[in-house]
Amino acid sequence: MICSMFSTMFLWFSGNTHTGKKMYISLLVFITFSVRSQDIRNTVGNIPMEWYKDYPHIGYDLEGKKIFKPIRNKDELDEFLDKMENPDYWRTVQDKMTGADIRLSDEQVDLVHRLQQGKFGDVNFNEYEPAIDFFSNEVMIHPVTNRPQDKRSFIPSLIEKEKVGKLVHAIKMGWIKPRRPKETTPQYYDLWAKEDPNSILGRHKMHVPAPKMKLPGHEESYNPPPEYLLSEEERLAWEQQDPEYRKLSFLPQKFACLRAVPAYSRFIHEQFERCLDLYLCPRQRKMRVNVNPEDLIPKLPKPKDLQPFPTTQSLVYRGHSSLVRSISISPSGQWLVSGSDDCTVRFWEVSTARCLKTVEVGGAVKGVAWNPNPSICLVAVSYDDTVVLLNPGLGDRLVCTATDQLISSYEEPEEVMDQSVQWAVAEGEGHEQGHRLILKHPKAVRQVTWHGKGDYLACVMPDNGSSLQVVIHQVSKRRTQNPFRKNKGLVQCVSFHPIRPYFFVATQRYVRVYNLIKQELTKKLMANCKWISSMAIHPGGDNVICGSYDCRLAWFDLDLSTKPYKVLRHHKKALRSVAYHRHYPLFASGSDDGSVIVCHGMVYNDLLQNPLIVPVKVLKGHTITHDLGVLDVTFHPTQPWVFSSGADGTVRLFT
Amino acid sequence: MSQVQARFFTENKKYLIDDVPFSIPAASEVTDLSAVINKLLEAKNGHESVQLCVVCVCLQEDVVEIEYVEKFTAPQPEECIMHDDWISSVEADSEWILTGSYDKTARIWSMEGKAVMTVAGHTDVVKDVAWVKRDGLSSLLLSASLDQTIMLWEWNSERNKVKARHCCRGHAGSVDTVAVDPTRTKFCSGSWDKMLKIWSAESNEMMPRKKQKTEQMGLTRTPLMTFSGHNEAVSSVLWMDAEELCSASWDHTIRLWDAETGGQKNAITGSKVFNCISYSPLCRRLASGTTDRHVRLWDPRSKDGSLVLLSLTSHNGWVTAVRWSPSHEHQLVSGSLDNVVKLWDTRSCKAPLYDLAAHEDKVMCVDWTENGLILSGGADNKLYTYRYSACVSDAGA
């Protein structure tokens, strides 16, 4: 009975081939124990049997009595021996529910084999029985089922009603637009919409047709109307005219018939000209590259970021009655000296513009220079052919008296050298005014400049024909030297190198740098300008600026080249003076247009970085008199202030 | 006419009235309000009438709170004292005016502008002057000069005799500024040689030793203490109190020094050269005049050093002199190279209260005395005095 039940079950499962294998195993267990004994059926159900692992029993039978595990004392060795010796070992399985070993019968083994092969468990089952089609494509007279139609097929669907309701609501709310009118206008893509109209036109513009020949007119006819024929005077005029300016290149002629027309003598010539026209005519228009002029300007920092620099006029030092040619400031920055054409030298207090002292000299003052050594109080003043060393008596009293002592302690050397310059000690009234030493030169002295140590003084006497243009005086020994034997051009100005023993001499076109120790020419700077007017040496000593009468300011970097590193053309008129600041990265230039231009000139210690030059301020204040504006500029030694002296007889301080 | 509730208050103890709201007409103006307050004051204190002005009005709940202060009238010019040369410095006390001039003298004037005394003895321009003290009829005064000395003079006002007591030598540059300490026993000088020196201001009538020349210059005196630290000329020096010194310099710094130990306590760094400083103990602020056109106020106690509290900008030239009011914590006066003296109230920093444009040339010095007199001297050789005080209103006004 059980077996027949199984067979139906197998039949039931055979359709499901994937889950088949698992089913067989659990069925197998079921089969075995049901075959062996109905009475010791375990009632614990399908639970993991390891729950009973630690108990002596394995479950309960139908009566509720414990089913005890069979006594097992087999170890691995016994198992192995059993495997080796027991011929039925392969068909012995353990019943998990009872723990007992079961030996499978032949039928059971056969069943397992069949199931493993995927066959039906029932031997008698024929899986290839002829099929009977229940449903076919042929329409049958009778329906398969004779079921009457449902009621719901006659009543409206609630789900559909709900769906329709939703759609209607959406239409009402405007979320869905039914029957949107179709756009009747055709959609075209404008192929050329994005194209630059200029470019396509440009392509057409580019085309330059060959020049056309002039069409023949009546005058070229063999039988022109009489008004086209030239009269005698016209013919003469035509003949006298230059062939280039003739209106017609031939004389119209009248012939009786075409046969009488001779060969055209200028035919080859005209054809050649026509070929030349075709050959030489322009065929393409050249487009110039559009460059924004703004892009060509170099990127410079804003002047605002380069402060401090002088911006406003603060003080005006009034008192001179004629143009102030030269100014110089004391090394402490407390006093200013100015020399003017009214034959006076004035000493000013910088902070109040008070004139503390006026010294009269015998001529229009061309140059003044304050001794840069703070322990000597001397001012060199040049007028006519004389250089006077003044002791203004300003500043520290001890320094002033020490300077006087230094000058008076001079002892005459035994052998008197023949010098071109006479040294004399000032006496009498001049001495009371402050004159200490008077140096008479053979020619008019234009410029005086001190060496940084304050002992040497260079004077310039411009003269084109002589070799005696520059002299260097040694004040402590009252000696004069002429450093140059040859005349190399009109000397404009000279300057000492601030640190090293170099000497800069500016002639009209060139600046020559001499080594004073080796006594040789080291460098020759080409200023690229017509006439140098002034020169200043950077306190570091490696940069030089030159102002020129042709409105240019040239900056030389001596490490870079002998040509100007930069040429500034900001002034409208000739430059008269240039100056560097001792500490701040500033330089200034004064010009005949009455303005002082202050520039930021940063020199970097890094050799690879070029100096940064930015014009920062135009300072105006001087009035132009006799076509002269600013004559001299100089910086305050410690503050970012610039002084300028002008032809209007004033000195101005810009801070 | 509608009425509003108003409550009057003031910070001035002298003019305090009861803190009760009053009902005043809404259309009241300053004069009406002033009259109301004056009535109240009269009721409280008896006959004391002062012109008042309303400074600030603020609305709280439904009561208008009105602050009132004493009203000042514009400075009234009083005297114009002519000098022979530029006036470099001025200092006045309650009776006498002392000026230093570029004609190498210091002069004493009475308040009415009468020349009392000419103190001559310096060999160069007098750059600064100061009163030291007065006992009875004799006074001590100081003059600092470009000839690197400071002279201590004794002046007897009865006999009108001046005598050089001491000549203080030691500076190696022109002495541009002197300041007497609050105890009146020492003074400090600042010079172009970057040094500050402290000297004794006592006038001891010791018998001169043999070698010293006494007939003209007085006994030579040496400094008690020297402060070095500035990198440029010292332009102005003052005493904050008995132990603390403050100096301004061309090296763009204001430095605070301990006068006892000689150590530097604080440094305020500006961006321009300082010409002058002034300190007000009332508001504890430093005012500085620089070589740009601003008057700047600083807090000297701030540690971070460079705190500008206010910039007063109206001048067109360098500010050469600045002075706080000795009695009012908000007011100061400044003189500039643009020939104008300006009176400022720090509560309105946008514009000055008054421009005193009397000078025809650079203003070099200003002073403000305890009794409300403003003095200014300049390069036009004139010393102007102005009366500036709270105006007492006429009876019944």
Side-chain angles (χ1 to χ4, degrees), chain A residues 59-75:
Chain A
Y60 304 90
D61 59 6
L62 289 171
E63 280 89 41
K65 286 178 183 155
K66 288 176 180 170
I67 304 170
F68 288 94
K69 287 177 187 166
I71 297 154
R72 270 187 184 272
N73 47 7
K74 277 186 188 171
D75 56 3

Side-chain angles (χ1 to χ4, degrees), chain A residues 312-333:
Chain A
T312 49
Q313 177 184 309
S314 295
L315 282 169
V316 184
Y317 303 76
R318 292 178 204 278
H320 282 294
S321 58
S322 184
L323 35 153
V324 185
R325 292 255 182 214
S326 178
I327 49 174
S328 180
I329 189 154
S330 72
S332 67

Side-chain angles (χ1 to χ4, degrees), chain A residues 343-358:
Chain A
C343 307
T344 58
V345 176
R346 279 177 187 261
F347 293 91
W348 309 87
E349 191 181 28
V350 165
S351 56
T352 54
R354 164 88 184 186
C355 178
L356 285 164
K357 203 165 186 177
T358 310

Side-chain angles (χ1 to χ4, degrees), chain B residues 22-43:
Chain B
F22 296 95
S23 180
I24 53 167
S28 300
E29 284 184 4
V30 175
T31 48
D32 305 327
L33 292 174
S34 184
V36 168
I37 296 166
N38 272 322
K39 280 269 169 55
L40 289 166
L41 281 172
E42 219 168 309

Side-chain angles (χ1 to χ4, degrees), chain A residues 368-400:
Chain A
V368 289
W370 205 296
N371 194 320
N373 190 341
S375 60
I376 299 173
C377 184
L378 269 184
V379 177
V381 177
S382 71
Y383 63 92
D384 297 341
D385 58 349
T386 312
V387 171
V388 176
L389 299 183
L390 289 174
N391 184 353
L394 296 168
D396 196 347
R397 293 295 140 100
L398 294 173
V399 171
C400 295

Side-chain angles (χ1 to χ4, degrees), chain A residues 110-302:
Chain A
D110 189 38
L111 178 64
V112 167
H113 276 303
R114 291 176 66 85
L115 290 175
Q116 277 177 341
Q117 284 163 13
K119 291 178 182 168
F120 280 90
D122 193 356
V123 184
N124 302 320
F125 181 71
N126 182 8
E127 49 193 310
Y128 302 113
E129 274 183 36
I132 298 146
D133 282 344
F134 281 99
F135 304 102
S136 72
N137 55 349
E138 291 159 23
V139 179
M140 287 186 262
I141 312 157
H142 299 290
V144 178
T145 60
N146 205 12
R147 202 157 164 261
Q149 278 194 309
D150 285 320
K151 184 191 175 184
R152 64 171 177 266
S153 63
F154 297 103
I155 58 172
S157 162
L158 272 175
I159 296 163
E160 280 177 5
K161 184 188 168 191
E162 205 172 280
K163 271 188 180 170
V164 169
K166 271 184 184 169
L167 283 172
V168 168
H169 181 66
I171 290 165
K172 274 185 186 168
M173 298 303 285
W175 300 331
I176 299 174
K177 289 218 172 85
R179 287 187 294 280
R180 175 185 285 181
K182 275 188 185 170
E183 287 194 20
T184 49
T185 51
Q187 295 268 316
Y188 294 118
Y189 171 62
D190 185 0
L191 191 61
W192 293 285
K194 290 233 169 145
E195 201 165 332
D196 184 13
N198 292 328
S199 69
I200 198 148
L201 277 174
R203 206 165 68 222
H204 289 301
K205 265 190 206 161
M206 280 304 157
H207 175 68
V208 180
K212 278 182 180 162
M213 280 186 84
K214 202 190 152 207
L215 290 174
H218 288 296
E219 64 279 4
E220 279 169 73
S221 164
Y222 75 99
N223 187 14
E227 62 266 27
Y228 289 98
L229 292 170
L230 296 186
S231 65
E232 194 62 27
E233 298 88 54
E234 281 173 331
R235 203 176 57 80
L236 276 172
W238 184 89
E239 274 170 356
Q240 275 169 7
Q241 224 173 1
D242 195 67
E244 272 188 34
Y245 297 109
R246 283 173 188 163
K247 228 175 195 176
L248 292 170
S249 56
F250 57 94
L251 279 172
Q253 272 179 299
K254 190 183 172 87
F255 297 98
C257 57
L258 200 54
R259 271 180 293 131
V261 178
Y264 183 43
S265 57
R266 285 177 48 83
F267 178 74
I268 300 288
H269 188 250
E270 273 190 0
Q271 287 304 308
F272 175 73
E273 293 224 319
R274 171 71 185 155
C275 288
L276 269 188
D277 278 356
L278 292 174
Y279 165 63
L280 291 173
C281 80
R283 291 301 165 94
Q284 205 178 13
R285 219 159 278 189
K286 261 219 169 135
M287 294 303 284
R288 228 177 265 161
V289 184
N290 278 326
V291 179
N292 190 3
E294 297 285 314
D295 299 343
L296 296 175
I297 298 171
K299 293 277 174 292
L300 288 177
K302 281 180 187 159

